[in-house]
Structure formats: structure tokens, C-alpha cells
Amino acid sequence: MKIIMLGAPGAGKGTQAKQIADKYQIPHISTGDIFRANIKEGTELGTKAKEYMDQGLLVPDELVVELVADRIVKEDCKNGFVLDGFPRTIPQAEALDEALAKMGGKMDYAIDVDVSDENIVNRMGGRRACLGCGATYHIVNIPTKVEGICDKCGSEVVLRDDDKPETVQKRLTVYHEQTQPLIDYYSQQGILKSVDGTRPMEDVFADIVGILGA
Ligand code: AMP
């Protein structure tokens, strides 16, 4: 099963993607996580990506497309994968379709986690991410057991630079301009499904399982 998660930054698509990956035993491929890992390791890709990420801008397509194309041909992707944060532009979606066509495949589902902008701005201010393992929390909805400390690895959890209010606003503008057109793109392919992302996490996941099948 090959799945794309769509939705504004902060809509909760990452959380849902992780649960989908667990339940259906397929890899969770998050381009944001890949960039953050590269930043942490101080790679050239990380240095380039950070310039854009800190401003709330998208990393240029050419830096992303190859990365994903190389990842989805790996052995662990043979039964499918869930893409989180990719594609984010029409050229990325077209490149993905091309890469899959070469492998004789195509995407099965694009799931849009729908949340209003106002709701996103409120959520993102409360979001916290672990400096060590990248796990994400929310000060109200998904708090850490000990304030400021990651439950999973014990490192410090912080407000990510790209979750700061002015950056969030910019990311939403970028989302509407560059990523939202993908909703029509996948609707035309007949694989778009929408879920109401404002409901509790477990209910959103139940809706997704209803779409994908138990
Ligand atoms: P995310 O964790 O998915 O919200 O991604 C964080 C940031 O990484 C985004 O705001 C972009 O700057 C960058 N990024 C992640 N995925 C992509 C992508 N597919 N295309 C361009 N930029 C991306």
C-alpha cells in the first residue's frame, strides 16, 4: 500500500503517518525528518536545507526529489510506504509518478488531513520537538511526562525554529500556494480521501483505517 499524507503543516499528518506505518508494517518516509537528521549531522544537504526551512520556505524540488526516489526503491518499501511531507509541489508529484511508473507502480491513496488555518496557528505554538530523537509533542494535547524532557530518549524538547509564530504564518502561505494544488491533482487521479483533522487523534486514525481497510 503506497500512501501520501497531505495537509497543512501542523495538521497532524506526521502523527497519523507514524501510526499507519506501525499498523500496516510499511516504512514512514518523512522528508522533514530526513532534512532534520541531515542538519543534525552537519551534512551539505542539511546546511542547504536549513537555509530554507528556517524561513518557512520549501527546500528546492531538486534537493528533495532524488532523495525520495532513492528511498522508495529500497527493499523495505516493496510492500508500500507512507510519505509524510512529500510531495509538496506539483513538480514533486509528477516526479514521484514518474519514478513509480519506472518501477511499474503507482500511488494508492492520498489522504488529506483537513484542518483550518486558525486551528493550525493555535496548535503549532504548543508543538514541541525533541532535540535528540525528533519525537513531537504538544504542551496540551500530547504533553511529555516530565516537562521539557523527551519521554523516549530523555533529551530536551523545544519549540522548533520553523514552528515559531512568524514562520508558521509563512509556512501556511507557502502551503496554500504550492501544496494545496496537490489536492486537485490527486482528486483527478481518483485517489484522494479527506479526513477531518480537527477531531481527536484516535478518531482521525479510525477514519483512516476505515479508508485503508483493517
Ligand atoms: P515538515 O517536518 O514536513 O513540516 O518539514 C519541515 C520543513 O522541511 C518544511 O517547512 C520545508 O522547509 C522542508 N521540507 C520538508 N519536506 C519538503 C518537501 N517535500 N519539499 C520541500 N521542502 C520540504
Side-chain angles (χ1 to χ4, degrees):
M1 198 150 39
K2 302 188 204 64
I3 306 161
I4 294 169
M5 299 305 289
L6 294 174
K13 58 186 187 311
T15 309
Q16 297 298 334
K18 277 180 205 139
Q19 291 197 54
I20 293 171
D22 277 354
K23 179 170 170 68
Y24 297 96
Q25 294 291 298
I26 49 178
H28 168 213
I29 304 175
S30 156
T31 42
D33 282 354
I34 296 173
F35 288 136
R36 282 183 287 277
N38 274 273
I39 292 172
K40 212 170 138 199
E41 286 161 22
T43 68
E44 196 186 330
L45 175 67
T47 311
K48 279 191 195 154
K50 190 173 186 330
E51 266 178 54
Y52 298 91
M53 289 167 77
D54 284 352
Q55 296 178 65
L57 299 174
L58 293 185
V59 173
D61 289 340
E62 58 272 22
L63 293 184
V64 192
V65 164
E66 219 177 277
L67 198 93
V68 176
D70 288 347
R71 180 66 187 86
I72 60 174
V73 293
K74 297 251 159 77
E75 177 64 17
D76 64 340
C77 290
K78 69 176 190 306
N79 294 326
F81 46 82
V82 53
L83 292 177
D84 165 16
F86 180 93
R88 260 180 157 102
T89 64
I90 295 279
Q92 289 181 17
E94 289 170 347
L96 174 64
D97 282 348
E98 267 172 42
L100 286 167
K102 271 189 208 151
M103 298 157 60
K106 61 176 191 52
M107 293 309 300
D108 298 308
Y109 296 97
I111 300 176
D112 178 38
V113 182
D114 188 27
V115 177
S116 72
D117 282 12
E118 195 191 342
N119 198 314
I120 297 278
V121 173
N122 290 337
R123 284 181 188 204
M124 301 275 267
R127 194 149 91 155
R128 296 292 180 271
C130 174
L131 287 175
C133 69
T136 48
Y137 299 91
H138 187 279
I139 49 175
V140 180
N141 305 335
I142 323 170
T144 49
K145 292 195 182 94
V146 179
E147 199 185 321
I149 302 293
C150 179
D151 293 352
K152 297 192 176 114
C153 76
S155 302
E156 192 187 351
V157 298
V158 298
L159 181 66
R160 263 176 17 200
D161 282 343
D162 61 345
D163 285 344
K164 298 205 164 127
E166 57 283 11
T167 318
V168 169
Q169 208 52 59
K170 180 71 198 164
R171 289 173 74 193
L172 279 173
T173 307
V174 167
Y175 168 74
H176 289 299
E177 285 173 7
Q178 303 194 56
T179 308
Q180 212 172 15
L182 293 178
I183 292 182
D184 276 348
Y185 183 90
Y186 289 114
S187 172
Q188 277 163 20
Q189 290 194 1
I191 61 166
L192 181 77
K193 305 282 174 189
S194 272
V195 292
D196 175 359
T198 59
R199 303 168 62 222
M201 260 172 0
E202 312 75 56
D203 296 353
V204 178
F205 187 59
D207 287 351
I208 293 175
V209 172
I211 292 166
L212 302 177

